[in-house]
Amino acid sequence: MKTFLKLALMLAVGITLLNAKEIDKESGLIVDKGLQTVKTNCTVCHSAKFIILQKGDRETWKSMIRWMQKTQGLWEFTPEIEDEILTYLETNYPPGDIARRPNLKAKDLPN
Ligand code: HEC
């Protein structure tokens, strides 16, 4: 194989690995900032599968939380904790095609 092709292939594999999401073995949730907070607050009454199977933007997640707070005995969060949870959820379980890879981060793009 030509050197150029080898390099291109290595780059492609590298980018794929960078984007691969690590999964928390205990809960099955994606490892990201806020995971611990979500595990502490969101896997008490039901398994994390409820979250994994659900998708939504920030508003959708927020309304699910409000619904659980109103009807299912979910406690109130401080604005900081709620922000951390919502950011985690909208980032890792967004609406749309789950097969779609996440956007490249600015730091991973060529200058
Ligand atoms: C106090 C208990 C409790 C806690 C804590 C809790 N939930 Fe729930 N949640 C429920 C109940 C009860 C249901 C409904 C179960 C059913 O449909 O049988 C539910 C359902 C869900 C569903 C499915 C909604 C649907 O439309 O199918 C999702 C997603 C969800 N919860 C996410 C979360 C998230 C995210 C958190 C953390 C912010 C959380 N839950 C914390 C009680 C709780």
Side-chain angles (χ1 to χ4, degrees), residues 38 41-42 44-46 50-51 54 61 64-65 67-68 72-75 77 85 89:
V38 169
N41 290 288
C42 305
V44 183
C45 304
H46 49 69
F50 276 63
I51 299 170
Q54 195 69 48
W61 281 111
M64 275 187 253
I65 288 178
W67 169 78
M68 280 179 282
Q72 310 298 332
L74 175 59
W75 44 89
F77 302 115
I85 292 173
L89 293 170

Side-chain angles (χ1 to χ4, degrees), residues 58-69 86:
R58 198 175 177 90
E59 279 312 305
T60 310
W61 281 111
K62 199 176 193 167
S63 64
M64 275 187 253
I65 288 178
R66 291 287 175 272
W67 169 78
M68 280 179 282
Q69 284 171 332
L86 286 173

Side-chain angles (χ1 to χ4, degrees), residues 21 30 32 56 61 85-94 102:
K21 295 198 163 172
I30 293 168
D32 199 0
W61 281 111
I85 292 173
L86 286 173
T87 302
Y88 173 88
L89 293 170
E90 72 172 343
T91 307
N92 293 294
Y93 300 98

